């Protein structure tokens, strides 16, 4: 198992003819992801890396039976791309694009919800089910197939943690970068539920950061519904209030969203919170005993 | 992006949201003249400054004659509120306050929507109300597919008012404020207080709006109102270069790829007893020019004593990163100690390339931070 | 049984303080319909005919557990009233208002559909389940409880037909005036299905008129799915093309929607079509043998 | 409500939908001057008239010089097309037609939505295309909650075009035409043909729009374009009085309560060998003034030989209707035979009251129609 993506993932790349789209298509294909098509309006009928390009997602879905889409279009066109994917029947949409206006994300999310699809991102590195499928821009070589589920608001911090896990012989079932914007699709709660229900996952790492109160809500959920060991990490303890720390969502505002509050809530829910990423493998091992 | 009260009120007016009369003034003499022109007995002189807590800081004063207006304007225009110098005031009509309400629209992460917040506890610090008496705050998530049709506006308005005259005014204000919020890509639109005057009219006597930076490209009218502070100018400059930068007050300059990792780096510096000089996410490539730009930015800060470069080599391999760093530092003439931590793909090769150079090379984040904290 | 309304109907009247709203509330109440409340923004807390008036449908539903609503507000406010009812959880909404812009009806219908509710009308006389509940402006005294289901695009023509049925001792299970606009809520097909499934209904009268092709589609449905006898009537055989005959929907346009086409389709589906309303009882009796 | 081609094109232009250059002219001399001003070799002179079939009737002519323009304008301005006198023409640029397409938005009863219809068979009678080769027409219902975002516009455009340049033009036209349709409460917005010129541009060279009468109250700009025919003036007058009226060509004037019953009455008159003079639905009350207004309307038509009043007394009881009729006819001085059929609540009482008066009283519709057809 694993969650969200696996061997039956049939991926299309929206914006496959762009620089980033093309580069990461190659990486995903090289990893073994089943990239069945790409879209680029006006370039239908051509090929990129041997992958057929379509004018619309509708056509791509019809011709390839794609079930998953990854979006590399510029931020100002991303909401439209998300909606097209959802309307065309794609069930899982991963939006890499960074810098989407928040109201665009809200609109697109509502649309995706109405169509019964799922959204990951925007402003995210995508996700990985090691040994099965890579849908994103994560560096494949640091991953190893195994039974730790990793969910995170940050890209490089995920890599850092996964690197330590792999170095310590602890493979991953699925790793999901949820995105750094204030409003994104699937988040801690939904993903915790999926990982809890995934037979292959034996323990979970959740990597949060300042801003919002999703980690507090996740902690509450862990307390009541998650029986698997959970280890956490929160970035931004040294961040000043009122300042966005890189991610649009990483901001302490109105006296809320501090790292201290999140860590307290997580510890109160029985989640062990690491002080540095390198501590995580040992903490997981202890918790899994 | 923040704007001033008077700018928010200009927007309110253009959307038909009632505000009191006001005149913007840059000097005390203008304030006195405004008082004459307005021909009202009681006015309020209010500092226009891009921060909160203006009232407590003495930036809002009632005046009943020309002399008081001039005197208050003089005082307020000399103030700084939370380090923001006050360079403008408005002289505004003092309305006859019957009761005060709170109304705002704000982005809500949990419901992934815009939410309307209302309270009969207007004029108070809403976060305090939320903490102490949360039952006094009405919250309604707005479905972006639906918006606020008449029936919803009425439903909301009836939460605070009984009388049809006020309900109709309130419903119109709620619809117009939502339209303004959405049209202009706001992240906050707040009226606190919304006043019911003794004459039975609803008027916004304060107005606060902030906007989504990611949407400014399609909001030229709003973008034109941007008045960056010095810190924001540096941040904007960094953004042009493709960085995320936040100035802090410490001694260890940081250069990291990735926002989460950059925050974690700052955190570890503190954990290990040091002080970070900044947050700096340089993004995902190893382009030497990017490194030069980033170092230039860090070296501008005289407090910086050491630079910590923390790179996770993922898609970009560590050996490519190392060669980028070497190229960059050939052009940078600096004696500043630079600690480099390289982890990820081809990390050994990368570290090997940096040995015996200007750089102090570390293997783990912990080691790198310890080296930076104890440098030189 | 009967369809849509019966003894468990709990009705609110939107626009109860208006002239028509008040008049027909009295009539419905006199018939025995359980009118549990009314709405009129700003008049909440008052009473009309002993019925409590609320400011909003939300409040009315909360306080009275209403499940059905009838709308008497002016046409330009009717779409808003329909949406409020649907949003407040009303399951069956009957809109009497005449003269709604068609795009308003389309919007309101889509909204009702999204909320999982049902709409009858606009520009309709409402409906009647004789002996149980009257929700509309139909003249109660001409009806009689029985087992004929009547569905119609016209008000007075329904009365005319019902009058003949009653005079011939043939009572009605339910009679529904669907409305005379080009776009309205529940229509022939859905109502035929309900009447087919209603154990109390033994035969059906469908009264159509020129415009559109709903009668043709209904005939197709009757042929394939309706086992009960159906007798029909189509008004407008003498109508000229391109002219609205009173109802906004009663217009022959682009060479389509003629009475002749409808009658032919209905007869081809085995529906007996009456030449005059007065023939209907005898035709029904023959068909029910 | 219908408008002229040039009016529809004015609306198109204001929404950014490309149309060819044209000049509106009322007399042939204006047309000749327009030709000079336009400085184009080939132009088309087109009748502006509120009915279809203009081309077949000779109302559209190509002209290649000033003399031809004047001559064609003269001829066309003297024509009547389907009884509509031509009082205006446009002189319009003759574009270089590469290929022709059909595009329209129309209200669809079955899907209860606006639908987009498109075809590569432009310039043809679309109803004929629909009948003979329905597979050549694309139909897409538009979800009013969604409208036509970019991705849908592109999807639709790719149905007709391959090239990105044309797809982008087409997508923009589809979005703008939909916006126009919705903004103005149209019931039809049709471009036939939409032309792809040899230069690669899409241009609407014909334009047809009709509007929802029920929405004219909120469309003053559209309402101002209303040019009623004589028949429509009478219908509008009737509407003001609360009636629905359609003039027909027969001898039996009808006055009925309810549209369905009124149609059925007409039908029965024909069935029984008579000819209805009109459709008239007087609605639901028995107000004597209404009856007077309705009779006045009927008596204006010199062909009317007998009047048939068919009333179903439902909410309004038959005795009240009878008393209303008696009051009305006290004021109406007329020898016209009037047959009254009263059915419904208190019908016997009602009929009793009318016996021995001016009225000929019938019990059933059949009886009443027979009496009317055979009168006097």
């Amino acid at each position: 198992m694993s969650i969200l993506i696996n061997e039956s993932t049939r991926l299309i790349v929206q914006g496959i003819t762009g620089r980033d789209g093309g580069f990461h298509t190659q990486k995903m294909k090289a990893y073994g992801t089943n990239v069945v098509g790409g879209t680029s309006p006006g370039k239908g009928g051509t090929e990129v890396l041997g992958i057929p390009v379509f004018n619309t997602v509708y056509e791509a879905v019809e011709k390839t039976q794609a079930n998953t889409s990854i979006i590399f279009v510029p931020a100002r066109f991303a909401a439209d791309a998300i909606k097209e994917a959802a309307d065309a029947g794609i069930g899982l949409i991963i939006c890499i694009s960074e810098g989407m206006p928040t109201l665009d994300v809200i609109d697109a999310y509502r649309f995706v919800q109405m169509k019964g699809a799922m959204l990951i991102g925007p402003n995210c590195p995508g996700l990985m089910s090691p040994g099965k499928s890579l849908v994103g821009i994560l560096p494949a070589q640091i991953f190893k197939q195994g039974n730790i589920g990793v969910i995170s608001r940050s890209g490089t911090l995920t890599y850092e943690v996964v690197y330590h896990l792999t170095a310590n012989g602890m493979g991953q079932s699925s790793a999901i970068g949820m995105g750094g914007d204030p409003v994104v699709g699937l988040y801690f709660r939904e993903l915790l539920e999926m990982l809890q229900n995934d037979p292959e996952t034996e323990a979970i790492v959740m990597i949060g950061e300042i801003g919002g109160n999703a980690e507090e809500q996740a902690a509450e959920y862990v307390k009541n519904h998650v029986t698997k060991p959970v280890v956490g990490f929160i970035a931004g303890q040294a961040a000043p209030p009122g300042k966005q720390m890189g991610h649009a969502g990483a901001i302490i505002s109105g006296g809320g969203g501090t790292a201290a509050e999140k860590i307290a809530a997580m510890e109160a829910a029985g989640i062990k919170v690491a002080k540095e990423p390198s501590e995580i493998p040992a903490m997981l091992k202890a918790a899994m005993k | 992006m923040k704007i001033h009260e008077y700018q928010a009120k200009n927007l309110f007016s253009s959307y038909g949201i009632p505000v009191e009369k006001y005149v913007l003034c840059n000097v005390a003499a203008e304030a006195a003249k405004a008082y004459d022109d307005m021909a009202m007995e009681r006015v309020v002189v209010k500092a226009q400054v891009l921060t909160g807590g203006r009232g407590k800081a003495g930036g809002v004063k009632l005046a009943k004659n020309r002399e008081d207006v001039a005197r208050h304007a003089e005082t307020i225009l000399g103030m700084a509120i939370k380090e923001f110098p006050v360079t403008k005031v408005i002289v505004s009509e003092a309305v006859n306050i019957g009761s005060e309400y709170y109304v705002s629209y704000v982005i809500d992460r949990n419901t992934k929507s815009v939410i309307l917040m209302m309270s009969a506890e207007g004029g108070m610090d809403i976060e305090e109300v939320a903490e102490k008496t949360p039952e006094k705050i009405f919250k309604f998530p707005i479905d972006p597919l639906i918006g606020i049709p008449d029936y919803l506006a009425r439903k909301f308005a009836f939460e605070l008012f009984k009388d049809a005259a006020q309900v109709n005014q309130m419903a119109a204000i709620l619809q117009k404020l939502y339209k303004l919020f959405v049209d202009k890509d706001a992240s906050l639109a707040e009226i606190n207080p919304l006043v019911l005057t003794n004459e039975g009219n609803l008027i916004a006597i304060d107005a606060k709006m902030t906007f989504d930076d990611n949407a400014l490209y399609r909001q030229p009218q709003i973008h034109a109102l941007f008045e960056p502070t010095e810190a924001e100018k540096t941040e904007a400059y960094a953004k042009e270069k493709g960085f995320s930068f936040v100035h802090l007050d410490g001694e260890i300059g940081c250069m990291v790829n990735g926002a989460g990792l950059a925050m974690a780096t700052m955190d570890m510096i503190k954990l290990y007893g040091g002080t970070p000089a900044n947050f700096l996410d340089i993004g995902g490539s190893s382009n030497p020019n990017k490194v030069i730009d980033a170092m230039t930015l860090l070296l501008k800060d005289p407090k910086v004593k050491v630079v910590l470069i923390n790179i996770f080599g993922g898609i970009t391999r560590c050996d490519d990163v190392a060669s980028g760093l070497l190229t960059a530092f050939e052009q940078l003439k600096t004696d500043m100690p630079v600690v480099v931590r390289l982890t990820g793909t081809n990390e050994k090769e990368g570290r090997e390339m940096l040995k015996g150079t200007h750089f102090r090379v570390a293997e783990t984040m912990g080691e790198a931070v310890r080296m930076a904290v104890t440098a030189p």
Side-chain angles (χ1 to χ4, degrees), chain B residues 79-100:
Chain B
M79 293 170 68
I81 298 175
K82 294 185 192 165
E83 301 179 9
F84 288 82
V86 180
T87 60
K88 295 173 209 148
V89 295
I90 59 171
V91 176
S92 72
E93 178 187 2
V95 304
N96 299 312
I97 296 176
S99 45
E100 298 181 293

PDB file of all heavy atoms in Angstrom, chain B residues 79-100:
ATOM      1  N   MET B  79       4.680  62.252  16.434  1.00  0.00           N
ATOM      2  CA  MET B  79       4.828  60.973  17.144  1.00  0.00           C
ATOM      3  C   MET B  79       5.417  59.880  16.256  1.00  0.00           C
ATOM      4  O   MET B  79       5.414  59.975  15.034  1.00  0.00           O
ATOM      5  CB  MET B  79       3.441  60.443  17.568  1.00  0.00           C
ATOM      6  CG  MET B  79       2.742  61.256  18.597  1.00  0.00           C
ATOM      7  SD  MET B  79       1.037  60.650  18.752  1.00  0.00           S
ATOM      8  CE  MET B  79       1.328  59.074  19.466  1.00  0.00           C
ATOM      9  N   ALA B  80       5.874  58.823  16.910  1.00  0.00           N
ATOM     10  CA  ALA B  80       6.124  57.561  16.221  1.00  0.00           C
ATOM     11  C   ALA B  80       5.342  56.502  16.999  1.00  0.00           C
ATOM     12  O   ALA B  80       5.376  56.485  18.239  1.00  0.00           O
ATOM     13  CB  ALA B  80       7.598  57.224  16.194  1.00  0.00           C
ATOM     14  N   ILE B  81       4.605  55.692  16.309  1.00  0.00           N
ATOM     15  CA  ILE B  81       3.818  54.643  16.953  1.00  0.00           C
ATOM     16  C   ILE B  81       4.425  53.304  16.571  1.00  0.00           C
ATOM     17  O   ILE B  81       4.475  52.967  15.380  1.00  0.00           O
ATOM     18  CB  ILE B  81       2.328  54.737  16.534  1.00  0.00           C
ATOM     19  CG1 ILE B  81       1.758  56.092  16.992  1.00  0.00           C
ATOM     20  CG2 ILE B  81       1.535  53.585  17.133  1.00  0.00           C
ATOM     21  CD1 ILE B  81       0.338  56.356  16.533  1.00  0.00           C
ATOM     22  N   LYS B  82       4.920  52.568  17.560  1.00  0.00           N
ATOM     23  CA  LYS B  82       5.626  51.306  17.308  1.00  0.00           C
ATOM     24  C   LYS B  82       6.679  51.477  16.202  1.00  0.00           C
ATOM     25  O   LYS B  82       6.708  50.719  15.220  1.00  0.00           O
ATOM     26  CB  LYS B  82       4.648  50.202  16.914  1.00  0.00           C
ATOM     27  CG  LYS B  82       3.707  49.825  18.031  1.00  0.00           C
ATOM     28  CD  LYS B  82       2.840  48.659  17.632  1.00  0.00           C
ATOM     29  CE  LYS B  82       1.700  48.444  18.617  1.00  0.00           C
ATOM     30  NZ  LYS B  82       0.666  47.572  18.072  1.00  0.00           N
ATOM     31  N   GLU B  83       7.471  52.521  16.344  1.00  0.00           N
ATOM     32  CA  GLU B  83       8.551  52.827  15.393  1.00  0.00           C
ATOM     33  C   GLU B  83       8.085  53.323  14.030  1.00  0.00           C
ATOM     34  O   GLU B  83       8.896  53.537  13.138  1.00  0.00           O
ATOM     35  CB  GLU B  83       9.501  51.617  15.220  1.00  0.00           C
ATOM     36  CG  GLU B  83      10.137  51.210  16.534  1.00  0.00           C
ATOM     37  CD  GLU B  83      11.058  50.015  16.381  1.00  0.00           C
ATOM     38  OE1 GLU B  83      11.336  49.604  15.243  1.00  0.00           O
ATOM     39  OE2 GLU B  83      11.511  49.500  17.420  1.00  0.00           O
ATOM     40  N   PHE B  84       6.767  53.494  13.850  1.00  0.00           N
ATOM     41  CA  PHE B  84       6.292  54.073  12.601  1.00  0.00           C
ATOM     42  C   PHE B  84       6.093  55.577  12.802  1.00  0.00           C
ATOM     43  O   PHE B  84       5.205  55.972  13.558  1.00  0.00           O
ATOM     44  CB  PHE B  84       4.950  53.457  12.178  1.00  0.00           C
ATOM     45  CG  PHE B  84       5.066  52.043  11.679  1.00  0.00           C
ATOM     46  CD1 PHE B  84       5.122  50.976  12.576  1.00  0.00           C
ATOM     47  CD2 PHE B  84       5.119  51.787  10.311  1.00  0.00           C
ATOM     48  CE1 PHE B  84       5.220  49.672  12.111  1.00  0.00           C
ATOM     49  CE2 PHE B  84       5.212  50.476   9.857  1.00  0.00           C
ATOM     50  CZ  PHE B  84       5.269  49.412  10.747  1.00  0.00           C
ATOM     51  N   PRO B  85       6.882  56.415  12.162  1.00  0.00           N
ATOM     52  CA  PRO B  85       6.660  57.856  12.309  1.00  0.00           C
ATOM     53  C   PRO B  85       5.323  58.251  11.681  1.00  0.00           C
ATOM     54  O   PRO B  85       4.969  57.757  10.613  1.00  0.00           O
ATOM     55  CB  PRO B  85       7.832  58.486  11.546  1.00  0.00           C
ATOM     56  CG  PRO B  85       8.343  57.421  10.634  1.00  0.00           C
ATOM     57  CD  PRO B  85       8.001  56.099  11.255  1.00  0.00           C
ATOM     58  N   VAL B  86       4.590  59.129  12.367  1.00  0.00           N
ATOM     59  CA  VAL B  86       3.287  59.557  11.841  1.00  0.00           C
ATOM     60  C   VAL B  86       3.501  60.755  10.943  1.00  0.00           C
ATOM     61  O   VAL B  86       3.992  61.802  11.395  1.00  0.00           O
ATOM     62  CB  VAL B  86       2.328  59.921  12.996  1.00  0.00           C
ATOM     63  CG1 VAL B  86       0.982  60.355  12.424  1.00  0.00           C
ATOM     64  CG2 VAL B  86       2.165  58.753  13.952  1.00  0.00           C
ATOM     65  N   THR B  87       3.144  60.608   9.660  1.00  0.00           N
ATOM     66  CA  THR B  87       3.364  61.714   8.714  1.00  0.00           C
ATOM     67  C   THR B  87       2.055  62.261   8.163  1.00  0.00           C
ATOM     68  O   THR B  87       2.042  63.222   7.424  1.00  0.00           O
ATOM     69  CB  THR B  87       4.231  61.253   7.520  1.00  0.00           C
ATOM     70  OG1 THR B  87       3.549  60.190   6.848  1.00  0.00           O
ATOM     71  CG2 THR B  87       5.598  60.759   7.985  1.00  0.00           C
ATOM     72  N   LYS B  88       0.946  61.612   8.536  1.00  0.00           N
ATOM     73  CA  LYS B  88      -0.360  62.075   8.057  1.00  0.00           C
ATOM     74  C   LYS B  88      -1.392  61.891   9.146  1.00  0.00           C
ATOM     75  O   LYS B  88      -1.316  60.914   9.920  1.00  0.00           O
ATOM     76  CB  LYS B  88      -0.826  61.250   6.847  1.00  0.00           C
ATOM     77  CG  LYS B  88       0.021  61.387   5.612  1.00  0.00           C
ATOM     78  CD  LYS B  88      -0.457  60.374   4.559  1.00  0.00           C
ATOM     79  CE  LYS B  88       0.699  59.965   3.670  1.00  0.00           C
ATOM     80  NZ  LYS B  88       0.614  58.599   3.190  1.00  0.00           N
ATOM     81  N   VAL B  89      -2.365  62.775   9.177  1.00  0.00           N
ATOM     82  CA  VAL B  89      -3.529  62.570  10.056  1.00  0.00           C
ATOM     83  C   VAL B  89      -4.786  62.784   9.223  1.00  0.00           C
ATOM     84  O   VAL B  89      -4.727  63.392   8.154  1.00  0.00           O
ATOM     85  CB  VAL B  89      -3.545  63.559  11.250  1.00  0.00           C
ATOM     86  CG1 VAL B  89      -2.360  63.330  12.182  1.00  0.00           C
ATOM     87  CG2 VAL B  89      -3.609  65.001  10.769  1.00  0.00           C
ATOM     88  N   ILE B  90      -5.898  62.273   9.721  1.00  0.00           N
ATOM     89  CA  ILE B  90      -7.171  62.738   9.156  1.00  0.00           C
ATOM     90  C   ILE B  90      -7.923  63.497  10.242  1.00  0.00           C
ATOM     91  O   ILE B  90      -7.820  63.182  11.437  1.00  0.00           O
ATOM     92  CB  ILE B  90      -8.065  61.610   8.586  1.00  0.00           C
ATOM     93  CG1 ILE B  90      -8.424  60.565   9.639  1.00  0.00           C
ATOM     94  CG2 ILE B  90      -7.421  60.968   7.370  1.00  0.00           C
ATOM     95  CD1 ILE B  90      -9.479  59.563   9.146  1.00  0.00           C
ATOM     96  N   VAL B  91      -8.621  64.554   9.800  1.00  0.00           N
ATOM     97  CA  VAL B  91      -9.561  65.249  10.673  1.00  0.00           C
ATOM     98  C   VAL B  91     -10.927  64.740  10.244  1.00  0.00           C
ATOM     99  O   VAL B  91     -11.308  64.905   9.083  1.00  0.00           O
ATOM    100  CB  VAL B  91      -9.462  66.782  10.497  1.00  0.00           C
ATOM    101  CG1 VAL B  91     -10.509  67.473  11.343  1.00  0.00           C
ATOM    102  CG2 VAL B  91      -8.062  67.256  10.846  1.00  0.00           C
ATOM    103  N   SER B  92     -11.607  64.091  11.180  1.00  0.00           N
ATOM    104  CA  SER B  92     -12.849  63.453  10.750  1.00  0.00           C
ATOM    105  C   SER B  92     -14.007  63.822  11.663  1.00  0.00           C
ATOM    106  O   SER B  92     -13.829  64.112  12.840  1.00  0.00           O
ATOM    107  CB  SER B  92     -12.656  61.935  10.678  1.00  0.00           C
ATOM    108  OG  SER B  92     -12.579  61.394  11.971  1.00  0.00           O
ATOM    109  N   GLU B  93     -15.162  63.842  11.051  1.00  0.00           N
ATOM    110  CA  GLU B  93     -16.431  64.108  11.722  1.00  0.00           C
ATOM    111  C   GLU B  93     -16.575  63.198  12.948  1.00  0.00           C
ATOM    112  O   GLU B  93     -16.371  61.988  12.853  1.00  0.00           O
ATOM    113  CB  GLU B  93     -17.528  63.765  10.700  1.00  0.00           C
ATOM    114  CG  GLU B  93     -18.935  63.924  11.169  1.00  0.00           C
ATOM    115  CD  GLU B  93     -19.930  63.399  10.120  1.00  0.00           C
ATOM    116  OE1 GLU B  93     -19.483  62.885   9.071  1.00  0.00           O
ATOM    117  OE2 GLU B  93     -21.137  63.503  10.382  1.00  0.00           O
ATOM    118  N   ALA B  94     -16.933  63.797  14.096  1.00  0.00           N
ATOM    119  CA  ALA B  94     -17.229  62.972  15.279  1.00  0.00           C
ATOM    120  C   ALA B  94     -18.723  62.664  15.262  1.00  0.00           C
ATOM    121  O   ALA B  94     -19.546  63.551  15.490  1.00  0.00           O
ATOM    122  CB  ALA B  94     -16.838  63.718  16.554  1.00  0.00           C
ATOM    123  N   VAL B  95     -19.072  61.420  14.936  1.00  0.00           N
ATOM    124  CA  VAL B  95     -20.503  61.087  14.820  1.00  0.00           C
ATOM    125  C   VAL B  95     -21.102  60.801  16.204  1.00  0.00           C
ATOM    126  O   VAL B  95     -20.379  60.555  17.166  1.00  0.00           O
ATOM    127  CB  VAL B  95     -20.732  59.881  13.884  1.00  0.00           C
ATOM    128  CG1 VAL B  95     -20.127  60.129  12.511  1.00  0.00           C
ATOM    129  CG2 VAL B  95     -20.161  58.611  14.485  1.00  0.00           C
ATOM    130  N   ASN B  96     -22.419  60.864  16.273  1.00  0.00           N
ATOM    131  CA  ASN B  96     -23.107  60.603  17.544  1.00  0.00           C
ATOM    132  C   ASN B  96     -23.305  59.101  17.715  1.00  0.00           C
ATOM    133  O   ASN B  96     -24.224  58.519  17.162  1.00  0.00           O
ATOM    134  CB  ASN B  96     -24.464  61.309  17.566  1.00  0.00           C
ATOM    135  CG  ASN B  96     -24.310  62.806  17.445  1.00  0.00           C
ATOM    136  OD1 ASN B  96     -23.491  63.408  18.151  1.00  0.00           O
ATOM    137  ND2 ASN B  96     -25.057  63.413  16.537  1.00  0.00           N
ATOM    138  N   ILE B  97     -22.422  58.522  18.487  1.00  0.00           N
ATOM    139  CA  ILE B  97     -22.401  57.074  18.596  1.00  0.00           C
ATOM    140  C   ILE B  97     -23.542  56.553  19.460  1.00  0.00           C
ATOM    141  O   ILE B  97     -23.655  56.925  20.633  1.00  0.00           O
ATOM    142  CB  ILE B  97     -21.045  56.615  19.169  1.00  0.00           C
ATOM    143  CG1 ILE B  97     -19.921  56.997  18.187  1.00  0.00           C
ATOM    144  CG2 ILE B  97     -21.047  55.112  19.436  1.00  0.00           C
ATOM    145  CD1 ILE B  97     -18.524  56.695  18.680  1.00  0.00           C
ATOM    146  N   GLY B  98     -24.400  55.733  18.868  1.00  0.00           N
ATOM    147  CA  GLY B  98     -25.436  55.060  19.639  1.00  0.00           C
ATOM    148  C   GLY B  98     -24.888  53.740  20.168  1.00  0.00           C
ATOM    149  O   GLY B  98     -24.828  53.506  21.363  1.00  0.00           O
ATOM    150  N   SER B  99     -24.421  52.898  19.253  1.00  0.00           N
ATOM    151  CA  SER B  99     -23.778  51.652  19.666  1.00  0.00           C
ATOM    152  C   SER B  99     -22.746  51.262  18.628  1.00  0.00           C
ATOM    153  O   SER B  99     -22.745  51.776  17.512  1.00  0.00           O
ATOM    154  CB  SER B  99     -24.828  50.547  19.862  1.00  0.00           C
ATOM    155  OG  SER B  99     -25.742  50.550  18.790  1.00  0.00           O
ATOM    156  N   GLU B 100     -21.869  50.335  19.028  1.00  0.00           N
ATOM    157  CA  GLU B 100     -20.726  49.995  18.186  1.00  0.00           C
ATOM    158  C   GLU B 100     -20.704  48.504  17.876  1.00  0.00           C
ATOM    159  O   GLU B 100     -20.959  47.686  18.754  1.00  0.00           O
ATOM    160  CB  GLU B 100     -19.422  50.379  18.887  1.00  0.00           C
ATOM    161  CG  GLU B 100     -19.295  51.876  19.153  1.00  0.00           C
ATOM    162  CD  GLU B 100     -17.970  52.214  19.832  1.00  0.00           C
ATOM    163  OE1 GLU B 100     -17.776  51.808  20.987  1.00  0.00           O
ATOM    164  OE2 GLU B 100     -17.137  52.869  19.189  1.00  0.00           O
TER     165      GLU B 100
END
